């Protein structure tokens, strides 16, 4: 986070194919005045175009519980600009699949 700030950046995107950052990361972002876009863990791999599967995540209940836990863990950080449900999810009627669709 410090390297981003020193480079003159004020925004960090946490990619949906990666992880949800830990509170320590958000604490540092809060202290340094950074803004963070936290994506959830679905990317173009969910749409079958790059060898993924429209059925991912295979356990929708587990995915939704993990999303809830992450929201509860990070929601009070002022650096959290917004949540993004996923990246490159298409076509909408297949990715993400029901019951994950909002």
């Amino acid at each position: 986070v410090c390297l981003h700030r020193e480079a003159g950046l004020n925004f960090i995107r946490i990619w949906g194919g990666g992880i949800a950052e830990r509170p320590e990361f958000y604490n540092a972002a809060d202290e340094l005045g950074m803004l963070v876009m936290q994506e959830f863990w679905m990317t173009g791999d969910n749409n079958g175009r790059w060898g993924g599967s429209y059925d991912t995540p295979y356990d929708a209940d587990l995915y939704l519980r993990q999303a809830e836990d992450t929201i509860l863990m990070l929601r009070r950080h002022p650096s959290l600009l917004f949540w993004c449900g996923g990246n490159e999810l298409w076509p909408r009627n297949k990715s993400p699949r029901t019951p994950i669709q909002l």
Side-chain angles (χ1 to χ4, degrees), residues 43-52 88:
T43 68
D45 294 340
N46 290 79
N47 63 20
R49 289 187 288 179
W50 296 291
E88 300 173 2

Side-chain angles (χ1 to χ4, degrees), residues 1-16:
V1 176
C2 290
L3 293 174
H4 284 81
R5 174 50 73 203
E6 290 172 11
L9 302 174
N10 61 8
F11 178 82
I12 300 174
R13 172 189 174 198
I14 307 301
W15 175 59

Side-chain angles (χ1 to χ4, degrees), residues 67-101:
E68 181 180 8
D69 286 347
T70 300
I71 290 168
L72 293 173
M73 177 177 64
L74 300 177
R75 66 184 174 177
R76 298 196 193 309
H77 287 278
S79 58
L80 180 62
L81 182 61
F82 67 94
W83 305 98
C84 178
N87 175 28
E88 300 173 2
L89 302 177
W90 183 87
R92 181 156 171 71
N93 65 332
K94 290 185 176 182
S95 181
R97 64 187 175 92
T98 313
I100 295 173
Q101 286 185 6

